[in-house]
Amino acid sequence: MTRLFRHISLRTKLVALMAALMMAGILATAWATAQSTKAALVGQIDVDLRAAYTDLGSAMQTAVAKDRDAIAPAGGRTADFYASLYDTSGELLFAKPAYANTRDTPAVGSVTPAVVSQHKRAPFTVRGTDPGSRGWRVLVVPASGDAGSVLVAWPLQDTTENVERATASILLTGTLATMVMSLIGYAVTTRSFRPLRRVERTAASIAQGNLSGRIEEFPIETEVGRLSYSLNAMLAQIEAAFRAKAASETKMRRFIQDASHELRTPLVTIRGYSELYRHGGIPAGEPLDQSMGRIEAEAKRMTQLVEDLLTLARLDEERPLEPAPVDLLVLANDAVADARVNAPDRVVRLVGVDGNPPESAPTVGDEPKLRQVVVNLMTNALRYTPEGTPIEVAVGVRPVISGRSDSVIALVDHGDGIPPADAQRIFERFYRADSSRQRETGGTGLGLAIVAAIAKQHDGGIRLTDTPGGGATMSLHVPYVPQEPEPDTDAADAADVPDDAASPSTRPLALLRNTFTRRASKEGAAKDSASKEGTAKDGAREDADAKRPEDGPPAV
C-alpha cells in the first residue's frame, strides 16, 4: 500500500486530499444540519403537545362521562394528535387515534401517576407498535381533578422523513460540488505545476550535458520562485565545479606532456652519448671529455627539473609554513651581493620602492622559501636580459589601503621586456616565452610558477609590470608585519656605524653588516665552546681507558 501511494503523482495526491477534506466537511455539515433540524422540529412538537393536552384531556373526560366512542371535533392540529385517558390504576379508559390511515400507536403500556411523576411533564420519545414505525413524541400529565392521567403523542414519521430528505439533499449537492471542485482543482493544480514541468525539462537537459541551462526565474515570494532560485544557484556551482575539473584535467594533461617532454630530452641525450660510447664512436681525449660533459650537464638539468617538480608538489600539498620574522631588506642585500659575484659585468644596485631609499620591510614567513623567490627572480632577470644590462633590487614598504601596507621586494631590469601575450601566462608551469625550448636560452619553465605558489602561500602575490624606458619589473608583495624593536641591539648597531655610513641610503646596509658580524661572532664562540667541551670529554675518556685494568672485564 505504501509503495502504491509513493507511485501516485503529487498532483493526484493534492486533488484527492482536497476532495477528501471537502467530503469530510460535507458529512460534518450534513450531520450537524440533521441534528439541528431534528431538534428544531421536535421542539416545535413539544410545544404543540403542551398546548394540546388540556383540550384533549377535557374532551376525553367528557366522552367517558357521557359514554361516547369519540370526542367532539376540535379545531387546529388537535385532531391529528394521538390521545388516551387512564384511570389512577393505569387502566386505559379512552383512546383517540392520531389519524384514520394509521394503525401505529405509542408503545407505552399502562400509564400510572407514578409514570407521570417520573417524567415530570417533560416530553419523551418512545417506539411505535407498528414494525415500520419511526417513533412517537409523548407527553403524560395528570388529568384534571387528579382523576387519572392523560397521554398526548405525535408521530415522528414526517419529522424523520423531512430530516432524512434534508440530509440526503445536502449529501447529494455536496458530492456533486466536490466532483466539480475536484475537476477544477485538478486543472488549476496542473496549471500551477507547469513551472515544475519546466524545471524537470531543464534538469533533463542538464543531465544530457547542457550545464549552461538555467531554470526560468519566478517571484521569490512563491514556492516555485524559491525553488528556482536555489536550483539555479546549485547549477551555477555545479557548472563552475565541472569547468574547474575540466580545467584541472586539461592542466594536468598539459603538465604531464610538458614534464614528459622535459624529462625525455635529457634522457635521450644521455642515452645517445652512452650508446655512441658503447659502440666505440667516441674516441678518447677531448671528444670523450666533451661527451661526458654533455651527459653531466643533462643530468644536472634533469636533477634540477625533478627538484622543481618536488617543490611544486610540496607547495600544492599546502604544508604548514615555519613562520618567523623576516626582513626583506636582508634578502635584497644578499641578492645584490650574489648577483655582483655571478655577473661582474652588470651594475646591480639596491634601491627603495617608489623612488625612496631602501628601508626595512619586515614580514612573517618562511625565510628559505622567500629567499628562493628572490633567487628565482634574480636568476630570471640575469638569464633573459642582454649582458651588461643594469638591474635594480627595490625594497621597502608600500601602503595598500588605510591601515594596511605591504612589504615589497622588486627585481627591476632594463632588457627587452615581456610581450603582453607572454605576460598573461608567464607564471604557468612549463611555460616559456621561448617556444623552441632550447636549453641554451631557457630553464625548466617552473621557476616563476614556484615563485607564484610561494607568494600565494604567504598570503601575498607576485606582480609583473613594465619598467619605464623598457624592461620588466617583478615584485613580491607580502603583508607588512612590524617587528618588535630591540633597543639594546639597535643602540649597539648605531654605535658601531661609522660616521661616513650615516647617510640615509647607506645606513641600512651598515646596520645589516654589523648584524651579520655580531651573528658570526656569536656562532664562532658557540663552535669554540662546543669544540673545547668535546676535547675535554675526549681527554676524560682517554684517562678512563688508561686506568681500566688490562685483563679484567670492563666496568659497568
Side-chain angles (χ1 to χ4, degrees):
M1 186 66 180
T2 304
R3 180 178 300 178
L4 178 62
F5 182 77
R6 292 176 61 184
H7 286 280
I8 299 176
S9 66
L10 179 60
R11 175 176 52 190
T12 303
K13 291 179 182 177
L14 290 176
V15 174
L17 178 61
M18 180 183 66
L21 292 176
M22 289 185 63
M23 286 303 302
I26 290 171
L27 291 175
T29 302
W31 179 84
T33 302
Q35 295 299 319
S36 61
T37 302
K38 184 176 181 179
L41 294 177
V42 171
Q44 183 61 43
I45 293 173
D46 293 343
V47 173
D48 293 341
L49 290 175
R50 289 189 179 94
Y53 79 86
T54 301
D55 295 340
L56 290 173
S58 300
M60 287 187 295
Q61 287 179 335
T62 301
V64 170
K66 296 181 178 181
D67 196 18
R68 294 177 181 173
D69 295 335
I71 61 176
R77 298 179 59 189
T78 306
D80 295 332
F81 286 93
Y82 173 88
S84 58
L85 179 65
Y86 297 87
D87 59 11
T88 56
S89 62
E91 184 179 354
L92 179 63
L93 299 177
F94 187 87
K96 169 194 170 299
Y99 33 78
N101 59 349
T102 180
R103 295 175 298 175
D104 189 24
T105 58
V108 295
S110 62
V111 178
T112 61
V115 174
V116 174
S117 176
Q118 178 183 356
H119 290 285
K120 299 178 182 181
R121 294 177 177 265
F124 57 95
T125 302
V126 298
R127 298 189 301 272
T129 57
D130 190 77
S133 175
R134 307 303 293 270
W136 290 79
R137 192 68 176 170
V138 177
L139 174 66
V140 290
V141 294
S144 59
D146 294 332
S149 303
V150 176
L151 182 147
V152 182
W154 182 266
L156 295 177
Q157 179 76 27
D158 295 339
T159 301
T160 304
E161 290 178 354
N162 290 335
V163 171
E164 290 178 351
R165 282 195 296 268
T167 302
S169 176
I170 292 173
L171 290 176
L172 179 60
T173 305
T175 302
L176 293 176
T178 300
M179 295 175 63
V180 174
M181 294 303 295
S182 298
L183 294 176
I184 297 175
Y186 190 86
V188 172
T189 306
T190 302
R191 183 179 180 83
S192 300
F193 277 8
R194 286 181 181 177
L196 294 181
R197 296 297 301 273
R198 289 197 286 269
V199 170
E200 179 183 353
R201 288 194 294 268
T202 304
S205 174
I206 293 172
Q208 295 176 358
N210 182 21
L211 297 179
S212 61
R214 292 294 182 271
I215 299 171
E216 180 182 355
E217 294 186 357
F218 295 89
I220 194 64
E221 294 81 11
T222 63
E223 292 80 1
V224 178
R226 290 191 292 270
L227 176 62
S228 62
Y229 177 81
S230 300
L231 288 178
N232 284 335
M234 180 188 68
L235 293 174
Q237 294 182 358
I238 292 175
E239 183 181 8
F242 271 94
R243 287 182 177 177
K245 180 182 178 182
S248 177
E249 292 177 351
T250 302
K251 186 176 180 180
M252 179 60 66
R253 285 194 297 267
R254 180 181 175 186
F255 176 81
I256 294 174
Q257 292 173 359
D258 291 339
S260 300
H261 179 86
E262 295 291 340
L263 290 172
R264 180 181 59 187
T265 303
L267 289 175
V268 169
T269 302
I270 294 173
R271 179 180 178 183
Y273 278 107
S274 300
E275 291 182 353
L276 185 61
Y277 175 75
R278 181 165 55 86
H279 289 89
I282 303 178
E286 185 177 354
L288 181 59
D289 295 338
Q290 291 179 353
S291 300
M292 292 299 104
R294 288 290 297 157
I295 291 176
E296 183 180 3
E298 294 298 334
K300 288 181 179 179
R301 185 175 297 277
M302 187 166 56
T303 301
Q304 181 63 40
L305 176 61
V306 173
E307 290 178 355
D308 289 344
L309 290 175
L310 289 176
T311 300
L312 284 174
R314 295 189 185 98
L315 292 174
D316 290 340
E317 291 177 1
E318 297 183 354
R319 296 182 180 180
L321 298 173
E322 297 180 1
V326 181
D327 194 342
L328 298 185
L329 180 60
V330 177
L331 305 184
N333 185 69
D334 292 345
V336 171
D338 294 342
R340 289 173 178 173
V341 173
N342 295 328
D345 60 324
R346 294 178 182 262
V347 177
V348 183
R349 296 185 302 125
L350 181 66
V351 298
V353 296
D354 300 329
N356 299 318
E359 60 178 338
S360 176
T363 186
V364 173
D366 193 327
E367 181 176 353
K369 291 185 178 180
L370 292 175
R371 190 176 293 275
Q372 183 179 3
V373 170
V374 178
V375 170
N376 286 6
L377 293 178
M378 179 60 76
T379 302
N380 195 71
L382 293 174
R383 176 178 295 167
Y384 293 104
T385 56
E387 296 183 2
T389 303
I391 295 176
E392 289 90 24
V393 180
V395 64
V397 178
R398 178 175 294 167
V400 180
I401 57 176
S402 178
R404 178 180 174 182
S405 301
D406 280 350
S407 295
V408 180
I409 182 171
L411 273 293
V412 184
D413 68 61
H414 299 275
D416 299 330
I418 301 175
D422 295 331
Q424 297 178 358
R425 301 181 55 193
I426 198 168
F427 295 103
E428 296 181 7
R429 300 178 183 183
F430 290 112
Y431 181 79
R432 288 195 299 251
D434 180 15
S435 59
S436 62
R437 298 182 179 269
Q438 294 177 0
R439 296 303 180 268
E440 292 78 7
T441 60
T444 62
L446 297 175
L448 293 182
I450 293 175
V451 167
I454 294 177
K456 180 180 178 181
Q457 198 174 25
H458 284 78
D459 294 330
I462 189 76
R463 301 178 186 176
L464 172 62
T465 56
D466 293 333
T467 303
T473 299
M474 292 191 182
S475 55
L476 170 67
H477 294 250
V478 291
Y480 169 75
V481 181
Q483 300 178 8
E484 293 294 332
E486 298 180 1
D488 296 337
T489 303
D490 294 342
D493 292 342
D496 294 339
V497 176
D499 295 337
D500 58 352
S503 64
S505 60
T506 58
R507 184 177 180 83
L509 299 179
L511 292 175
L512 289 172
R513 185 164 54 249
N514 293 337
T515 301
F516 293 150
T517 303
R518 187 168 55 257
R519 186 182 301 170
S521 300
K522 291 181 180 179
E523 293 178 355
K527 291 181 179 178
D528 293 342
S529 177
S531 177
K532 291 179 181 179
E533 184 178 354
T535 303
K537 290 182 179 179
D538 293 340
R541 189 180 297 110
E542 291 176 359
D543 293 342
D545 293 340
K547 294 179 181 180
R548 184 179 300 166
E550 295 181 359
D551 298 332
V556 178

